[in-house]
């Protein structure tokens, strides 16, 4: 079974509108971290935002926020006021602490976001 | 500053060549990583160095040889590669390299090296 599932291969949004990218995860750990990365066509993986499994509040970083629903094992990324420069591939990733996988990030397959003018 | 640098940006090599990829960070991070990414796929972990020691080798073929000369530098030596090894090679670093660190340890990536093997 996939540990990280991103069900939207591609998404389109109009400039200045908000968009939500979905991510669900599967783990039996109590302690884990959830990350979102942006990868433009240039290739660099840019860290956007982090949510810890024990965090009570949804994480927010500028125009990025997470809708973290622990019981449903989902951590959706919300991008507000989309800009043309937001067009990129977005990866959701999880880092588990137990089971010897401490260093590993498990990535989803990604969602390709296109922002239309 | 969360900068990880990688050189070269692009590399074209023949199957008999020997080349090296270089990664550098000056953030005081003690864990460094090599990933391989094929087009339209997520990155795949290859190696992890923790405190300059190889911690994880994800069953990578021996034609890829990592090296960590010091805490700021990570190399990937390439020899006798195959065309299917053509990919984007990403380096990353994170603050801690201890097994008991929480899942909070963010990995910061470099811009990558686009490798083409002819």
């Amino acid at each position: 079974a996939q540990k990280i599932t991103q069900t939207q291969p591609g998404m389109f949004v109009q400039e200045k509108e908000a968009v939500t990218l979905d991510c669900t995860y599967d783990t039996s750990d109590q302690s884990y971290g959830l990350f979102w990365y942006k990868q433009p066509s240039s290739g660099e993986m840019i860290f956007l935002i982090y949510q810890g499994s024990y965090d009570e509040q949804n994480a927010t970083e500028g125009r990025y926020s997470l809708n973290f629903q622990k019981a449903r094992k989902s951590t959706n990324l919300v991008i507000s006021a989309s800009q043309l420069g937001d067009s990129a591939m977005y990866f959701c990733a999880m880092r588990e602490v137990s089971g010897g996988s401490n260093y590993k990030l498990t990535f989803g397959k990604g969602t390709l976001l296109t922002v239309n003018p | 500053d969360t900068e990880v640098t990688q050189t070269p940006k692009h590399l074209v090599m023949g199957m008999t060549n020997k080349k090296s990829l270089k990664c550098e960070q000056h953030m005081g991070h003690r864990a460094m990583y090599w990933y391989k990414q094929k087009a339209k796929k997520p990155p795949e972990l290859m190696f992890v160095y923790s405190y300059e020691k190889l911690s994880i080798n994800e069953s990578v073929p021996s034609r890829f040889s990592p090296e960590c000369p010091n805490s700021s530098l990570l190399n990937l030596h390439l020899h006798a590669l195959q065309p299917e090894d053509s990919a984007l090679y990403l380096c990353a670093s994170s603050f801690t390299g201890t097994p008991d660190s929480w899942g909070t340890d963010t990995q910061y990536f470099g811009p990558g090296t686009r490798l083409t093997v002819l």
Side-chain angles (χ1 to χ4, degrees), chain B residues 32-44:
Chain B
M32 296 186 77
Y33 312 75
W34 280 115
Y35 287 84
K36 173 183 177 179
Q37 187 180 23
K38 301 286 274 185
K40 301 187 187 304
K41 299 286 187 184
E44 299 173 4

Side-chain angles (χ1 to χ4, degrees), chain B residues 18-110:
Chain B
K18 284 186 180 180
K19 297 286 185 183
S20 297
L21 310 185
K22 180 180 170 181
C23 172
E24 202 161 0
Q25 58 87 14
H26 295 286
M27 297 178 279
H29 289 179
R30 302 316 299 268
M32 296 186 77
Y33 312 75
W34 280 115
Y35 287 84
K36 173 183 177 179
Q37 187 180 23
K38 301 286 274 185
K40 301 187 187 304
K41 299 286 187 184
E44 299 173 4
L45 183 66
M46 299 174 72
F47 302 103
V48 180
Y49 272 82
S50 172
Y51 289 87
E52 299 157 51
K53 288 185 170 45
L54 184 64
S55 295
I56 293 177
N57 176 342
E58 290 287 282
S59 303
V60 178
S62 60
R63 57 186 185 268
F64 295 91
S65 174
E67 178 197 18
C68 189
N70 58 59
S71 60
S72 301
L73 192 56
L74 185 66
N75 297 322
L76 185 63
H77 302 299
L78 315 172
H79 174 55
L81 294 194
Q82 304 295 312
E84 59 264 30
D85 296 322
S86 298
L88 178 68
Y89 288 83
L90 292 162
C91 173
S93 70
S94 66
F95 183 66
T96 67
T98 54
D100 60 350
S101 68
W102 284 56
T104 58
D105 203 15
T106 298
Q107 292 183 24
Y108 294 94
F109 287 79

Side-chain angles (χ1 to χ4, degrees), chain A residues 27-103:
Chain A
T27 181
S28 56
D29 282 3
Q30 296 300 308
S31 177
Y32 51 88
L34 298 161
F35 303 81
W36 279 91
Y37 288 87
K38 170 185 177 183
Q39 188 174 40
S41 57
S42 60
E44 183 172 4
M45 293 281 283
I46 302 166
F47 165 68
L48 294 178
I49 193 167
Y50 162 81
Q51 181 85 46
S53 56
Y54 291 112
D55 292 342
E56 304 256 330
Q57 305 283 335
N58 286 334
T60 300
E61 286 288 347
R63 293 188 298 112
Y64 305 108
S65 61
L66 292 181
N67 181 5
F68 178 49
Q69 298 186 46
K70 192 171 180 177
R72 299 179 68 176
K73 294 188 175 177
S74 75
T75 178
N76 299 336
L77 175 69
V78 180
I79 305 175
S80 63
S82 296
Q83 302 172 356
L84 296 177
D86 293 333
S87 293
M89 182 71 86
Y90 289 80
F91 288 100
C92 177
M94 176 173 65
R95 181 170 176 163
E96 299 166 286
V97 179
S98 69
S101 62
N102 180 260
Y103 303 107

Side-chain angles (χ1 to χ4, degrees), chain A residues 10-19 63 79 81-88 90 112-117:
Chain A
M11 287 282 285
F12 292 88
V13 66
Q14 286 297 123
E15 197 177 4
K16 300 180 185 176
E17 292 186 352
V19 63
R63 293 188 298 112
I79 305 175
S82 296
Q83 302 172 356
L84 296 177
D86 293 333
S87 293
Y90 289 80
L112 182 61
L113 176 67
T114 302
V115 180
N116 294 317

